[in-house]
Amino acid sequence: MISGHRGAAALAPENTLAGLQEAARHHLKWVEMDTQLCADFIPVMFHDEKVNRCTNGRGKVRELNLAQLKALDAGSWFDTQFANERILTLDEALNACQLYGLNLNLEIKVHDEAEAERLVREVAETIAHNGISPEALILSSFSEAAVGYCQLYMPQIRRGLICDKLPNDLFGLAQSMALFSLHLDHRLLTASLASQIKQAGLDLHIWTMNQPKLVPQFYQWGVDIIITDNPPLLLQEIS
């Protein structure tokens, strides 16, 4: 029920190997991570449009090539013990998930809707080349276009739509896109909405929920996965 957010964002630098190792150390089954394209069209694991916040570099991920990104320290900003942590490629992240027995909720991070299709195509090629089982993946995005391209290029992999506000026709959209899951900001969820989502046959994921005292309520409402920055804090509530 508990999934690490960006690996395990309260315990290690986000979207890094260290984050995956922390998730594995706490025996999680699921992690959520973000992927986007760099300058040479390779999918890399990074959330922000720019590298400024989470590395010692400057500039947009999309404008830096893989060699430039790999030269950055992606760990010291979080804590000196993570100095020289490197930005992962999607292929490296998939390999690590298989090594550590983790399933991956892969967010397709679209910063420019005009590039959504190219991003999804590169992700599809990486996943196909890597050979990871479709059962170990969920593809998700805030971008409806990206989710649609996932349906086109990777129909065998389950898809989820991420929502920070509710679309006008949520369930019609879910049906037309053949969604497996809805990924809601936990503040949007009510008992009634949760019931409707479950009755529609959809998996229900919520993000980013860091309040242990709310775990029993969401469990009662039928939430399938809680995405959190601090997995061990929430795991105490269901152990």
Side-chain angles (χ1 to χ4, degrees), residues 14-25:
E14 58 191 58
N15 287 309
T16 62
L17 182 63
L20 292 174
Q21 290 168 338
E22 280 295 321
R25 188 166 72 87

Side-chain angles (χ1 to χ4, degrees), residues 14 36 46-64 69 72-78 87 111:
E14 58 191 58
Q36 58 181 295
F46 211 82
H47 175 274
D48 296 1
E49 186 173 14
K50 295 182 178 181
V51 300
N52 303 24
R53 180 176 66 90
C54 294
T55 76
N56 61 340
R58 308 286 293 178
K60 292 184 177 181
V61 175
R62 185 67 183 82
E63 295 174 355
L64 298 170
L69 292 173
L72 299 177
D73 178 348
S76 291
W77 69 274
F78 186 87
I87 293 173
H111 292 294

Side-chain angles (χ1 to χ4, degrees), residues 31 54 58 61 89 113 116 121 125 144 162 169 187 195 201 222:
V31 290
C54 294
R58 308 286 293 178
V61 175
T89 65
E113 287 287 343
R121 280 196 287 111
E125 289 183 16
E144 294 177 18
I162 310 173
D169 185 16
R187 294 169 295 185
S195 177

Side-chain angles (χ1 to χ4, degrees), residues 117-165:
E117 184 175 9
R118 178 64 187 266
L119 171 55
V120 171
R121 280 196 287 111
E122 297 295 342
V123 167
E125 289 183 16
T126 302
I127 289 173
H129 179 265
N130 181 273
I132 189 171
S133 168
E135 294 301 311
L137 293 169
I138 293 175
L139 303 170
S140 62
S141 186
F142 283 97
S143 167
E144 294 177 18
V147 175
Y149 288 126
C150 288
Q151 185 178 12
L152 177 64
Y153 290 108
M154 296 173 280
Q156 76 282 13
I157 301 178
R158 296 169 293 182
R159 295 171 299 282
L161 181 67
I162 310 173
C163 302
D164 55 7
K165 58 183 179 181

Side-chain angles (χ1 to χ4, degrees), residues 25-213:
R25 188 166 72 87
H26 291 286
H27 308 291
L28 299 187
K29 293 183 178 180
W30 282 96
V31 290
E32 181 270 354
M33 298 180 81
D34 310 276
T35 194
Q36 58 181 295
L37 294 179
C38 64
D40 29 17
F41 300 105
I42 297 169
V44 295
M45 310 308 290
F46 211 82
H47 175 274
D48 296 1
E49 186 173 14
K50 295 182 178 181
V51 300
N52 303 24
R53 180 176 66 90
C54 294
T55 76
N56 61 340
R58 308 286 293 178
K60 292 184 177 181
V61 175
R62 185 67 183 82
E63 295 174 355
L64 298 170
N65 63 36
L66 184 60
Q68 290 171 312
L69 292 173
K70 283 291 190 182
L72 299 177
D73 178 348
S76 291
W77 69 274
F78 186 87
D79 192 282
T80 54
Q81 68 173 301
F82 297 106
N84 298 316
E85 195 74 24
R86 300 300 169 187
I87 293 173
L88 295 173
T89 65
L90 172 58
D91 190 55
E92 289 169 337
L94 294 174
N95 287 338
C97 285
Q98 292 175 87
L99 177 64
Y100 299 133
L102 295 166
N103 296 319
L104 177 61
N105 168 11
L106 181 64
E107 179 177 345
I108 309 298
K109 182 56 69 174
V110 176
H111 292 294
D112 180 355
E113 287 287 343
E115 293 202 327
E117 184 175 9
R118 178 64 187 266
L119 171 55
V120 171
R121 280 196 287 111
E122 297 295 342
V123 167
E125 289 183 16
T126 302
I127 289 173
H129 179 265
N130 181 273
I132 189 171
S133 168
E135 294 301 311
L137 293 169
I138 293 175
L139 303 170
S140 62
S141 186
F142 283 97
S143 167
E144 294 177 18
V147 175
Y149 288 126
C150 288
Q151 185 178 12
L152 177 64
Y153 290 108
M154 296 173 280
Q156 76 282 13
I157 301 178
R158 296 169 293 182
R159 295 171 299 282
L161 181 67
I162 310 173
C163 302
D164 55 7
K165 58 183 179 181
L166 294 176
N168 291 330
D169 185 16
L170 180 62
F171 296 104
L173 194 62
Q175 186 173 21
S176 67
M177 302 175 93
L179 295 180
F180 168 75
S181 53
L182 289 172
H183 303 213
L184 301 184
D185 182 332
H186 75 277
R187 294 169 295 185
L188 296 176
L189 196 62
T190 64
S192 174
L193 178 58
S195 177
Q196 292 176 64
I197 291 170
K198 298 306 296 181
Q199 287 176 17
L202 294 162
D203 254 40
L204 175 55
H205 300 194
I206 58 171
W207 55 270
T208 303
M209 214 292 287
N210 296 320
Q211 302 173 61
K213 65 181 181 180

